[in-house]
Amino acid sequence: MVFISLLNPLQVDVTMANCLGFRPPSTSVATVFRSPVLSSAAVLTPSSSASCCFSISCNLQSTKAFAVPRRNLMAVILSGCIFSQIEGNAAFAQQSVEFREFIDTFDGYSFNYPKNWIQVRGANADIFFRDPFVLDENLSVEVSSPSSSSYKSVEDLGPPEEAGKKVLRQYLTEFMSTRLGVRRESSILSTSSRIADDGKMYYQIEVNIKSYASNNELAVMPQDRVVRKEWDRRYLSVLGVENNQLYELRLQVPENVFVEEENDLRRVMDSFRVNKLSA
């Protein structure tokens, strides 16, 4: 234990009892340590007591015993804290997210999702899972009606760039608000296509949408209508076609946590498959 003070140097004698119960009959052996900050002395002597106790006496006498410079002591303390933090971060980084597979044999699709995500029913989607801690992070699957669609391939949507525009328009339509002073900003971040191990083509679309609203939309003066950002989210979609239907896996995540969640989200995207239904 290190006692730190910015006052005059003190000499501190600390006597610690020996927990082993050894104490010479007439003499005591003391080990002296010098505090680099206080120029103090800590005296450790054996004792017959079963528990460890300390007696502290202070006086203003200076000492010339060996002392570690204050700068070196602080370097040792800080380095210990830094290495402890690094070890903790390394252990946390080594923890891997477990995934479960969800298979819908009735509608014909499957994907993997983080094991700790929970299913939410009645969310106006064919299936809906969300992160139990980050409530704005979730996934859902939309399936077109078999009676109103006759898709043969995802390429029926056009190239990925055209599909991206359609996906963004759909998102903006769903997020339309009747509130006064609400404004949305959106952009397409990326569009791509890939052939999965099932031999089918899938489109991957990434968009960003920001929502702004006034805190006093009924104010007469413009300076009283202060606009603030409500939310900033990234939306990732995977599109596939099977059974003459269009399937869309949707992932939503706040933009400020996307970087740390990106690897897990892409694992979900890459796992999405559309399956042929048996007649």
Side-chain angles (χ1 to χ4, degrees):
M1 177 179 295
V2 178
F3 299 90
I4 300 176
S5 172
L6 297 178
L7 301 177
N8 294 331
L10 301 177
Q11 177 178 348
V12 182
D13 298 334
V14 182
T15 304
M16 181 177 68
N18 192 325
C19 295
L20 298 178
F22 172 77
R23 181 182 180 88
S26 59
T27 61
S28 62
V29 179
T31 305
V32 180
F33 299 94
R34 298 294 177 180
S35 167
V37 177
L38 300 177
S39 298
S40 62
V43 183
L44 278 66
T45 62
S47 173
S48 59
S49 174
S51 61
C52 296
C53 59
F54 295 87
S55 63
I56 304 176
S57 62
C58 304
N59 58 61
L60 298 178
Q61 297 178 0
S62 62
T63 178
K64 295 182 179 180
F66 171 76
V68 179
R70 180 186 305 177
R71 188 184 303 273
N72 292 352
L73 173 65
M74 295 305 297
V76 171
I77 295 174
L78 291 176
S79 62
C81 295
I82 292 173
F83 282 120
S84 298
Q85 183 67 27
I86 292 175
E87 291 176 359
N89 292 342
F92 180 79
Q94 291 174 357
Q95 296 178 355
S96 59
V97 177
E98 295 185 28
F99 284 79
R100 282 181 175 170
E101 184 177 24
F102 178 84
I103 303 176
D104 188 328
T105 57
F106 181 79
D107 290 306
Y109 63 86
S110 63
F111 59 85
N112 297 330
Y113 67 97
K115 185 178 180 180
N116 67 323
W117 284 26
I118 58 177
Q119 183 176 352
V120 179
R121 301 185 184 277
N124 197 26
D126 197 71
I127 192 68
F128 189 96
F129 288 92
R130 69 170 176 82
D131 188 298
F133 305 107
V134 184
L135 302 185
D136 274 350
E137 187 173 0
N138 56 62
L139 70 84
S140 62
V141 175
E142 302 284 345
V143 184
S144 67
S145 171
S147 60
S148 60
S149 61
S150 57
Y151 293 96
K152 301 301 181 183
S153 168
V154 71
E155 294 176 291
D156 291 346
L157 298 172
E161 296 76 17
E162 290 299 320
K165 295 177 183 178
K166 294 177 182 177
V167 167
L168 180 57
R169 282 197 298 268
Q170 181 62 32
Y171 276 125
L172 293 177
T173 300
E174 295 175 5
F175 295 148
M176 286 183 63
S177 175
T178 58
R179 290 183 299 151
L180 296 176
V182 175
R183 175 172 56 87
R184 301 279 160 73
E185 290 184 0
S186 61
S187 60
I188 299 175
L189 302 179
S190 68
T191 60
S192 62
S193 63
R194 63 179 175 88
I195 303 295
D197 54 9
D198 59 359
K200 301 183 180 72
M201 177 174 289
Y202 295 85
Y203 284 176
Q204 296 189 164
I205 314 295
E206 295 185 31
V207 302
N208 171 267
I209 302 178
K210 299 178 179 66
S211 178
Y212 297 88
S214 172
N215 63 346
N216 189 10
E217 63 275 5
L218 298 179
V220 177
M221 303 302 293
Q223 60 268 25
D224 295 329
R225 297 192 294 270
V226 180
V227 177
R228 59 181 177 84
K229 183 164 62 176
E230 292 184 305
W231 45 263
D232 182 4
R233 301 172 185 157
R234 182 171 299 210
Y235 295 89
L236 306 99
S237 294
V238 182
L239 306 173
V241 168
E242 187 58 273
N243 307 307
N244 296 328
Q245 295 173 273
L246 176 64
Y247 297 78
E248 181 181 6
L249 171 73
R250 292 181 167 191
L251 287 162
Q252 171 186 294
V253 58
E255 196 67 49
N256 62 342
V257 300
F258 172 73
V259 173
E260 60 182 289
E261 300 286 342
E262 181 177 4
N263 290 337
D264 295 336
L265 296 175
R266 298 207 182 280
R267 283 188 62 179
V268 176
M269 296 175 68
D270 293 340
S271 70
F272 184 60
R273 299 290 184 273
V274 293
N275 308 315
K276 185 71 174 178
L277 295 175
S278 58

